[in-house]
Amino acid sequence: GAVVSQHPSWVICKSGTSVKIECRSLDFQATTMFWYRQFPKQSLMLMATSNEGSKATYEQGVEKDKFLINHASLTLSTLTVTSAHPEDSSFYICSARGGEANSPLHFGNGTRLTVT
Amino acid sequence: QKEVEQDPGPLSVPEGAIVSLNCTYSNSAFQYFMWYRQYSRKGPELLMYTYSSGNKEDGRFTAQVDKSSKYISLFIRDSQPSDSATYLCAMRFKAAGNKLTFGGGTRVLVKP
């Protein structure tokens, strides 16, 4: 099955620094990847849709200058949390779709970000 | 009213019992339906993917879709303690570019 790898699995950073999270599709090419955020005991909240070679589409209320997304290749998308603050602490999960138009989404294992 | 409603649980069952999960939705335009399992501090894992009304079976899992009632279900037979997790239903429109709408998730606890 389709495998999505996310790195790092957890990170602790100081307030004001930036953190980059990588999402890779290991055995398929993903023209579209999605970034989600999940708070404890809550469901996934879509942050943005990342398209290879073009600008990401952000959901309402998500600051694009705060959460920089780069989808430079068909197998890699990155999310950079800039000038992180404690309220950015959360579980970030990426997902990608396989090659066919109607194929389901597969998720990475998430990155737990803690900003101190 | 949320687009997709799912009872948060927790749902506690003894080992070997059938786990019954369901979601209701309000938008009849949803065409594709998924069930994901999420363990604590892990990403969601796809369990079932359906796009038509009726039943789909895969091992111990059976997914049901009733588009006329806007209701989907997931049944887990012979439940095991390793099935203890949060189960998320998700759905999308036909031309949504795979943008999913999730239910809130149901936490399931299978007791040995």
Side-chain angles (χ1 to χ4, degrees), chain A:
Chain A
V3 178
V4 177
S5 174
Q6 193 171 337
H7 178 80
S9 56
W10 61 271
V11 58
I12 301 173
C13 71
K14 292 186 176 180
S15 187
T17 61
S18 296
V19 173
K20 180 185 284 188
I21 302 169
E22 291 186 349
C23 180
R24 294 180 185 273
S25 56
L26 296 186
D27 52 358
F28 65 99
Q29 293 185 331
T31 54
T32 305
M33 291 184 174
F34 301 84
W35 288 95
Y36 291 83
R37 184 173 182 177
Q38 187 176 34
F39 292 104
K41 298 186 179 181
Q42 293 188 26
S43 192
L44 285 75
M45 181 189 76
L46 180 64
M47 299 175 65
T49 302
S50 166
N51 296 295
E52 187 266 337
S54 64
K55 291 183 179 180
T57 303
Y58 290 82
E59 295 300 301
Q60 190 174 11
V62 178
E63 299 176 59
K64 59 182 180 182
D65 294 331
K66 173 80 174 170
F67 300 100
L68 299 179
I69 291 173
N70 187 336
H71 193 159
S73 77
L74 286 172
T75 59
L76 174 64
S77 176
T78 60
L79 168 68
T80 301
V81 183
T82 63
S83 187
H85 291 284
E87 56 266 30
D88 297 325
S89 299
S90 189
F91 193 51
Y92 293 87
I93 311 172
C94 72
S95 69
R97 175 172 60 82
E100 296 182 4
N102 294 327
S103 57
L105 285 183
H106 295 273
F107 288 81
N109 260 332
T111 297
R112 182 159 301 282
L113 170 64
T114 302
V115 184
T116 60

Side-chain angles (χ1 to χ4, degrees), chain B residues 44-105:
Chain B
E45 173 193 5
L46 179 68
L47 292 176
M48 300 290 279
Y49 177 53
T50 58
Y51 50 85
S52 58
S53 284
N55 293 359
K56 180 177 180 179
E57 193 172 313
D58 185 359
R60 296 186 296 116
F61 299 96
T62 299
Q64 284 186 351
V65 175
D66 183 347
K67 289 186 177 180
S68 62
S69 300
K70 298 204 244 341
Y71 186 92
I72 66 171
S73 301
L74 178 71
F75 301 97
I76 308 173
R77 291 182 298 280
D78 188 24
S79 59
Q80 305 294 313
S82 58
D83 294 325
S84 298
T86 296
Y87 290 80
L88 298 155
C89 66
M91 50 197 75
R92 70 171 181 88
F93 307 124
K94 188 174 184 179
N98 278 290
K99 184 175 174 178
L100 297 183
T101 300
F102 281 91

Side-chain angles (χ1 to χ4, degrees), chain B residues 18-55:
Chain B
I18 294 175
V19 176
S20 176
L21 303 165
N22 58 75
C23 288
T24 58
Y25 59 96
S26 55
N27 195 328
S28 58
F30 284 124
Q31 294 291 321
Y32 296 88
F33 305 91
M34 287 135 276
W35 285 96
Y36 288 89
R37 176 175 63 194
Q38 187 177 23
Y39 292 112
S40 181
R41 302 184 182 223
K42 295 290 185 181
E45 173 193 5
L46 179 68
L47 292 176
M48 300 290 279
Y49 177 53
T50 58
Y51 50 85
S52 58
S53 284
N55 293 359

